[in-house]
């Protein structure tokens, strides 16, 4: 499994109050795939993504990124880009300067950042030079996506990336994520919208109440299991 971008095996997370947020979650993300983690609010998507990014410990099972368990500061983190917690931007700095400050903090050479590619992909145009305190919610979201894409990581993990974007921006984001997974890269993206996953992803993992109810290539999921999708297409 060492070169598989993501292997999740029998993951379980019970919070300290005893609430079991996810249980028996197993799936893989291979190179070239855009995998959608699809489910209604409260299904356990954010919990799953937080566990696999090493932001919270699982109470059972494993999540291995290129064969490693992630933890804050782990060297393997340089191969992963994530938008899981809304990043705080410095309001008095421009979007570009925020990205530069972030990149510097990672300690990696500036030449590895691929600022231009990340910004072009996120489509912020000239607004990269504006102070982020003047950004709309959608612009912040795009800057956060650009930040996750810095260094063009081999695995990109995004929690509800289209939240706050308008329809043309959502359509563009679909193209971006599809394109991103070429060249041997991989994407895991969460969503509560069936149509979005159907149009963006190659594969889907459908979760409800903390458990997987269907998974596989998107065409099969949408074609063969409409009943399991009722919950998610309604929200
Ligand atoms: P959303 O789209 O609303 O974020 P989600 O699918 O990402 O939904 P999670 O945020 O993972 O779902 O939450 C799953 C369940 O775990 C919810 O019922 C939530 O109330 C619960 N939960 C989340 N964090 C905690 C916590 N720290 N302690 C206890 N329960 C929690």
């Amino acid at each position: 499994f060492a070169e598989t971008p993501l292997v999740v095996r029998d993951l379980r997370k019970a919070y300290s109050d005893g609430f079991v947020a996810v249980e028996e979650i197993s799936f893989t993300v291979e190179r070239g795939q855009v995998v959608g983690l699809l489910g209604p609010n409260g299904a356990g998507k954010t919990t799953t993504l937080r566990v696999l990014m090493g932001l919270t410990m699982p109470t059972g099972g494993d999540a291995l990124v290129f064969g490693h368990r992630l933890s804050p500061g782990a060297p393997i983190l340089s191969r992963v880009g994530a938008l899981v917690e809304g990043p705080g931007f410095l309001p008095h700095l421009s979007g570009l300067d925020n990205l530069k400050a972030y990149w510097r903090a990672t300690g990696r050479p500036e030449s590895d950042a691929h600022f231009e590619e990340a910004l072009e992909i996120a489509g912020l145009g000239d607004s990269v030079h504006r102070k982020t305190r003047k950004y709309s919610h959608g612009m912040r979201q795009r800057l956060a996506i650009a930040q996750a894409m810095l260094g063009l990581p081999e695995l990109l993990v995004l929690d509800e990336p289209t939240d706050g974007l308008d329809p043309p921006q959502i359509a563009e984001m679909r193209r971006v994520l599809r394109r991103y997974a070429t060249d041997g890269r991989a994407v895991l993206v969460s969503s509560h919208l069936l149509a979005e996953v159907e149009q963006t992803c190659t594969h889907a993992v459908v979760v409800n109440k903390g458990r997987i109810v269907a998974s596989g290539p998107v065409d099969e999921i949408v074609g063969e299991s409409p009943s399991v999708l009722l919950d998610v297409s309604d929200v």
Side-chain angles (χ1 to χ4, degrees), residues 6-233:
L6 178 65
V7 178
V8 179
R9 286 189 296 218
D10 209 16
L11 200 70
R12 182 176 201 272
K13 173 70 185 178
Y15 284 107
S16 52
D17 60 3
F19 182 80
V20 180
V22 298
E23 197 160 26
E24 293 179 16
I25 300 283
S26 300
F27 65 94
T28 57
V29 178
E30 306 279 352
R31 291 176 189 275
Q33 293 182 346
V34 181
V35 177
L37 187 61
L38 174 67
N41 291 336
K45 306 181 296 293
T46 301
T47 298
T48 303
L49 299 188
R50 293 192 80 241
V51 169
L52 66 90
M53 288 310 298
L55 298 170
T56 187
M57 288 297 288
T59 48
D62 245 340
L64 300 177
V65 175
F66 298 109
H68 298 262
R69 233 186 215 194
L70 290 191
S71 57
I76 194 77
L77 274 179
S78 62
R79 297 174 69 181
V80 186
L83 166 58
V84 174
E85 319 256 78
F89 294 116
L90 298 166
H92 58 286
L93 291 185
S94 70
L96 181 58
D97 286 343
N98 264 282
L99 294 193
K100 288 189 169 167
Y102 167 82
W103 189 256
R104 247 176 258 129
T106 69
R108 284 179 274 168
E110 195 146 310
S111 54
D112 290 352
H114 300 280
F115 288 116
E116 279 181 20
E117 285 99 321
L119 287 166
E120 193 189 320
I121 291 172
L124 274 164
D126 283 347
S127 29
V128 293
H129 302 297
R130 283 168 63 187
K131 294 189 188 339
T132 57
R133 70 161 177 266
K134 297 189 177 151
Y135 276 25
S136 66
H137 178 69
M139 287 162 71
R140 272 173 208 284
Q141 185 73 355
R142 293 216 252 171
L143 188 63
I145 292 164
Q147 181 168 299
M149 286 180 178
L150 284 182
L152 307 180
E154 293 160 80
L155 173 65
L156 189 60
V157 176
L158 304 172
D159 196 6
E160 308 255 0
T162 56
D163 178 40
L165 303 189
D166 58 30
Q169 292 170 339
I170 291 173
E172 176 60 19
M173 188 52 56
R174 286 187 198 121
R175 283 191 287 277
V176 163
L177 296 182
R178 284 274 190 164
R179 216 183 310 141
Y180 196 84
T182 56
D183 295 336
R185 293 187 292 238
V187 179
L188 175 64
V189 57
S190 80
S191 175
H192 61 274
L193 298 170
L194 171 61
E196 195 168 285
V197 168
E198 197 179 348
Q199 290 161 27
T200 310
C201 301
T202 59
H203 293 71
V205 177
V206 188
V207 287
N208 196 13
K209 297 185 181 145
R211 287 172 179 271
I212 293 183
V213 291
S215 68
V218 157
D219 299 347
E220 287 177 21
I221 297 285
V222 174
E224 291 172 20
S225 337
S227 60
V228 300
L229 298 172
L230 284 178
D231 271 347
V232 286
S233 55

